[in-house]
Amino acid sequence: MDQKNNLTTNGDRLWGSLMQMAKIGPGVAGGNNRQALTDEDSDGRHLFKRWCEQADMTVSVDKMGSMFATRRGTDPDALPVYVGSHLDTQPTGGKYDGVLGVLAGLEIVRTLNETGVKTKRPIVIVNFTNEEGTRFPPAMVASGVFAGVHTLDWAYERQDATGKTFSKELERIGWVGDEEVGSRKMHAFFELHIEQGPILEKEKKQIGVVTHGQGLSWLQITLTGKESHTGSTPMPMRINAGLGMAQITQLVNDIALANAPLAVGAIGHSEIFPNSRNIIPGKAIFTVDFRHPEKSILEAMKEQLEQGAKDIANNIGLDMEIESVGGFDPVTFDQDCVRRVRDAATKLGYSHRDLVSGAGHDACWINRVAPTAMIMCPCVDGLSHNEAEEIHPEWATAGANVLFQAVVETAEIVE
Ligand code: HGY
Ligand code: MN
Ligand code: MN
């Protein structure tokens, strides 16, 4: 029997696992708030670990807390095929961002166990710590350490808004592993992820074959002015950090529109001090998120921002600091892996199209150390990083089946 061609996942079981994981760290509007290194993150990790052990896998953890669940291959010396994503979510996140990629990996192993199919190469499912970078910037920090982009010490020093460090919080939830980060060698890495954009749904395509990932730049700006009374301070005397933030917010939008149609820019994080109704803000700290598929244009956008923000600060009399707090160059995924994904979608009869990922993913860093490709499924209204994020079960199943075919093709079934 040509086992390979008849391997498809159990969509109901995958959906059931997604809904069970979604119960951990519920949001307030039907989504999830399972931020990195919180107790909820730990609970989700324990559930995933239990499921992996029930599927006869061994689970190990590295020093960044990333989890690796291994299904043995017939050749223990063969480099494994890795599949996975992340279980942490945004504070007002959805149920599928990251989680689909991890639990689809589990579904593949559950199906292989059920059918008794063996692969030459081991298969390893990964849960990368803190992909979102919302509590501890930058995004994709654990896969970044794995790929040698960040040092472990630098990552350990990252702080959340309350001053808690990454290392202390990882220790507190009991998920510091002993494995050196990045010591594992991968034959290939595949990541299934929801698109988080509108293209696939609009074009009625079931699968996105991700050929590239756009580049990202996070610039944290600190403006310092002078606190004073909102009532008695004459307008010409004010040094208003809040006004500077508002004008730079408009500048960010103008720069993105000026580099249309592919540039995007926004400010998602902002803090104003002292944040009192009748004190002119003396300080503003906020992060600019710029993205573009071409490195040269992303660099030009950053230069336009730095110049424009300097002029705004000078006009108001503000001191300004700009610090890069995250980012990565545009990514071109491995062509052989991408072809495997495209061939799998074709063989399974799914409608598909090539896609550039708008969001960043762990795959963007892993692509530096192993042949890597991504698969995307549509999401309703292209919405993500919103508790209303939604996908259809058949989209999850189609994505998992394409992932399955690409993984077993690469891991080599042993007849
Ligand atoms: O920011 C990103 O693109 C990812 O969702 N962390
Ligand atoms: Mn994600
Ligand atoms: Mn995300």
Side-chain angles (χ1 to χ4, degrees), residues 34-86:
R34 197 171 53 241
Q35 295 181 62
L37 312 188
T38 58
D39 295 336
E40 295 76 16
D41 181 15
S42 178
D43 294 345
R45 289 162 170 268
H46 282 296
L47 175 61
F48 172 60
K49 182 168 186 276
R50 196 163 61 246
W51 280 340
C52 290
E53 287 168 344
Q54 286 164 356
D56 195 23
M57 285 189 266
T58 51
V59 179
S60 54
V61 183
D62 73 12
K63 288 183 175 175
M64 279 294 285
S66 293
M67 301 170 71
F68 301 91
T70 301
R71 180 185 195 252
R72 285 180 304 282
T74 56
D75 176 356
D77 300 330
L79 282 187
V81 176
Y82 283 69
V83 57
S85 190
H86 62 93

Side-chain angles (χ1 to χ4, degrees), residues 67-143:
M67 301 170 71
F68 301 91
T70 301
R71 180 185 195 252
R72 285 180 304 282
T74 56
D75 176 356
D77 300 330
L79 282 187
V81 176
Y82 283 69
V83 57
S85 190
H86 62 93
L87 292 174
D88 68 303
T89 75
Q90 289 281 336
T92 54
K95 300 191 280 284
Y96 313 98
D97 173 357
V99 185
L100 176 61
V102 176
L103 298 188
L106 174 63
E107 177 49 36
I108 286 173
V109 169
R110 283 170 167 168
T111 304
L112 288 172
N113 290 348
E114 239 167 25
T115 52
V117 169
K118 296 198 180 339
T119 56
K120 174 190 162 196
R121 299 180 180 282
I123 291 172
V124 180
I125 312 171
V126 197
N127 166 33
F128 282 113
T129 302
N130 188 34
E131 187 279 341
E132 293 294 358
T134 179
R135 183 183 173 201
F136 296 98
M140 302 121 67
V141 71
S143 49

Side-chain angles (χ1 to χ4, degrees), residues 175-188:
W175 282 96
V176 184
D178 47 17
E179 192 177 293
E180 289 306 323
V181 184
S183 56
R184 291 168 167 271
K185 297 301 164 225
M186 299 178 173
H187 177 68

Side-chain angles (χ1 to χ4, degrees), residues 200 205-210 341 351-355 374-378:
L200 293 175
K205 293 286 190 291
Q206 293 164 296
I207 296 291
V209 179
V210 184
V341 168
S351 55
H352 57 276
R353 56 104 83 198
D354 286 4
L355 204 56
M374 289 190 74
I375 301 153
M376 284 190 173
C377 77

